[in-house]
Amino acid sequence: MESPFKADIVKGKVALITGGGSGIGFEITKEFGKHGAAVAIMGRRKSVLDSAVSSLRSLGIQAIGFKGDVRKNEDAVRVVDATFEHFGRIDILVNAAAGNFLVPAEDLSPNGFKTVMDIDTVGTFRMCHEALKYIKKGGPGRRTSGGGAILNISATLHYAATWYQIHVSAAKAAIDAMTMSLALEWGTDYDIRVNAIAPGPINDTPGLSKLDPHEMKSNQYGAPVHQFITGEKWDIAMAALYLASDAGQ
Ligand code: HXC
């Protein structure tokens, strides 16, 4: 599909994308790169990172991968600093790393609940907190007068009750709350735009393959649906591009 945006809409910007090696995170990374950004991706699996980076480079995109787990403080510090050292600035942070599995609340251990909260919610906060010094107005390497952008990937699961997704619904609801708090505090103090995108079910993603609609009950995605219609990764990447670019200022 042809992009509705100019090819250089994020030229000169540097983006760090957690979970950028696969699924929605990879699609966002690829479109940022195709529209001029240099991209760093963070993920737990080296093989996934390596293949994503070589595919990005084959498109002429300046890309680097850093192995790391958003649940670990030392990984967040190392990856954020390495991104800055490699590219000399950080303009955009996308928090796309997430964990998920279908499980009835009765069968979910507190540690299973905590694991998803740690990845999705605490991991998102940790990365925002660590990247703040580079993304804020006047941060090192910033050539423009303003601050950069943070984009959190949420979901629609918590807009209503969703079967077998108590952990992810709680985690994404917290991400929405956190996004608004950071938009208020860091938008006011540091000129950072903090937004979230809430995809519904998206074709060809680890999320959808794990949450096989046939295994779930009707109306499971938290929004009224008369037909099961899925979105495309492209839709989310275009929304991300708008929000992260100067068009979204
Ligand atoms: C019940 C489970 C479970 C399962 C893990 N646990 N898988 N409980 N059913 N299927 C429990 C374990 O029993 C354990 O608790 C705890 O969770 C930690 O499990 P580990 O295996 O040690 O954790 P880890 O290896 O770190 O794996 C993390 C993970 C994993 C979340 C479990 O599945 C993961 O990271 N997946 C990859 C990412 C992914 O799925 N991305 C798609 C996101 S889609 P105990 O008590 O036994 O110690 C998305 C969008 C949704 O978020 C919206 C769609 C519409």
Side-chain angles (χ1 to χ4, degrees), residues 42-135:
M42 175 179 183
R44 282 185 293 165
R45 293 166 295 170
K46 188 169 183 316
S47 59
V48 172
L49 283 178
D50 288 348
S51 105
V53 167
S54 67
S55 146
L56 293 164
R57 287 181 180 164
S58 72
L59 296 169
I61 295 168
Q62 271 187 279
I64 188 162
F66 296 114
K67 189 170 179 298
D69 187 334
V70 296
R71 287 174 289 187
K72 295 183 183 154
N73 235 22
E74 62 272 23
D75 287 12
V77 172
R78 177 176 49 75
V79 171
V80 167
D81 286 348
T83 301
F84 176 76
E85 275 153 32
H86 190 80
F87 289 124
R89 57 189 288 157
I90 302 177
D91 301 281
I92 303 161
L93 169 68
V94 181
N95 290 295
N100 203 350
F101 45 84
L102 271 185
V103 63
E106 180 178 9
D107 299 331
L108 176 64
S109 71
N111 191 45
F113 187 97
K114 180 175 177 295
T115 297
V116 170
M117 292 296 289
D118 279 348
I119 298 170
D120 293 22
T121 307
V122 186
T124 291
F125 181 71
R126 175 174 290 119
M127 294 303 295
C128 291
H129 199 258
E130 200 48 46
L132 171 64
K133 61 180 179 284
Y134 296 119
I135 295 183

Side-chain angles (χ1 to χ4, degrees), residues 200-225:
I202 301 294
N203 275 329
D204 190 25
T205 58
L208 191 63
S209 58
K210 283 192 169 183
L211 309 185
D212 181 343
H214 302 296
E215 282 183 38
M216 300 174 76
K217 305 194 181 183
S218 62
N219 200 16
Q220 69 275 48
Y221 289 107
V225 280

